[in-house]
Amino acid sequence: TDIDHENYPRPDFFQTFDKEIQWSFWQLSVINFSFFTLPHLLQRNYSAKNIQALKAGYYIMAIGPWFTTFVGVFMGTIGVAMLGKDAAPANPFSAIIEEVMNVGGFAKGAGVIAFTASLAAIMSTADSLIIAVSQLITMEIVRPIKGFQDVQHETQLTRYAKFVSLGAVA
């Protein structure tokens, strides 16, 4: 259906951005291109099984944001149209996903992608925290106390790291 720009709840959604917002967009784009230099990605470089697995992971990470960004813009625009400018639900994300998924078809698929992406983001953050806690405690506390300084003790250090990770999860 066509959107009536005069009666749309947020007509400013369809206006050309000012120079400040455009500059912020390009800054974000440059930051996104430098994403592959972040420490957690460098760690994945070291832990990759082989170069093909590393390339596949990077291809997926390069393409994935385009899908999630499209879904985010789609859901935001549709959510504003469905909820209206006066609606202020307690949890807007859940309300918009529910409304979008009720439409069915492509919108339902977009809602599933958005829900899955949000769940993956939560899991990724938790995983990163568990890894950080495990490494911090194992390398900065257990290793000096136990005197593990050479390669022969890596198996024991790994075992301690697993227990620390389990304790952090618990």
Side-chain angles (χ1 to χ4, degrees), residues 53-98:
L54 187 63
K55 284 182 179 181
Y58 278 160
Y59 288 140
I60 291 168
M61 285 191 297
I63 294 169
W66 293 100
F67 289 111
T68 56
T69 301
F70 171 74
V71 168
V73 169
F74 173 76
M75 287 187 52
T77 306
I78 297 300
V80 168
M82 289 179 167
L83 296 177
K85 63 181 176 184
D86 298 327
N91 188 343
F93 182 73
S94 297
I96 290 172
I97 283 185
E98 185 178 348

Side-chain angles (χ1 to χ4, degrees), residues 21-38:
I21 293 176
Q22 289 180 19
W23 180 245
S24 295
F25 168 77
W26 286 111
Q27 286 179 328
L28 179 66
S29 298
V30 169
I31 290 169
N32 284 337
F33 283 121
S34 66
F35 179 73
F36 293 102
T37 63
L38 294 176

Side-chain angles (χ1 to χ4, degrees), residues 88-116:
N91 188 343
F93 182 73
S94 297
I96 290 172
I97 283 185
E98 185 178 348
E99 289 294 325
V100 167
M101 290 179 72
N102 286 337
V103 172
F106 175 79
K108 185 172 186 173
V112 168
I113 290 172
F115 180 76
T116 305

Side-chain angles (χ1 to χ4, degrees), residues 62-159:
I63 294 169
W66 293 100
F67 289 111
T68 56
T69 301
F70 171 74
V71 168
V73 169
F74 173 76
M75 287 187 52
T77 306
I78 297 300
V80 168
M82 289 179 167
L83 296 177
K85 63 181 176 184
D86 298 327
N91 188 343
F93 182 73
S94 297
I96 290 172
I97 283 185
E98 185 178 348
E99 289 294 325
V100 167
M101 290 179 72
N102 286 337
V103 172
F106 175 79
K108 185 172 186 173
V112 168
I113 290 172
F115 180 76
T116 305
S118 66
L119 184 61
I122 293 167
M123 290 171 54
S124 174
T125 302
D127 178 61
S128 296
L129 290 172
I130 292 167
I131 290 171
V133 167
S134 174
Q135 191 205 358
L136 180 69
I137 292 175
T138 303
M139 297 306 284
E140 301 297 331
I141 297 174
V142 173
R143 184 177 177 195
I145 290 174
K146 293 289 188 178
F148 295 155
Q149 301 301 327
D150 53 4
V151 178
Q152 296 173 345
H153 296 103
E154 282 189 20
T155 305
Q156 290 174 307
L157 261 178
T158 303
R159 192 173 304 122

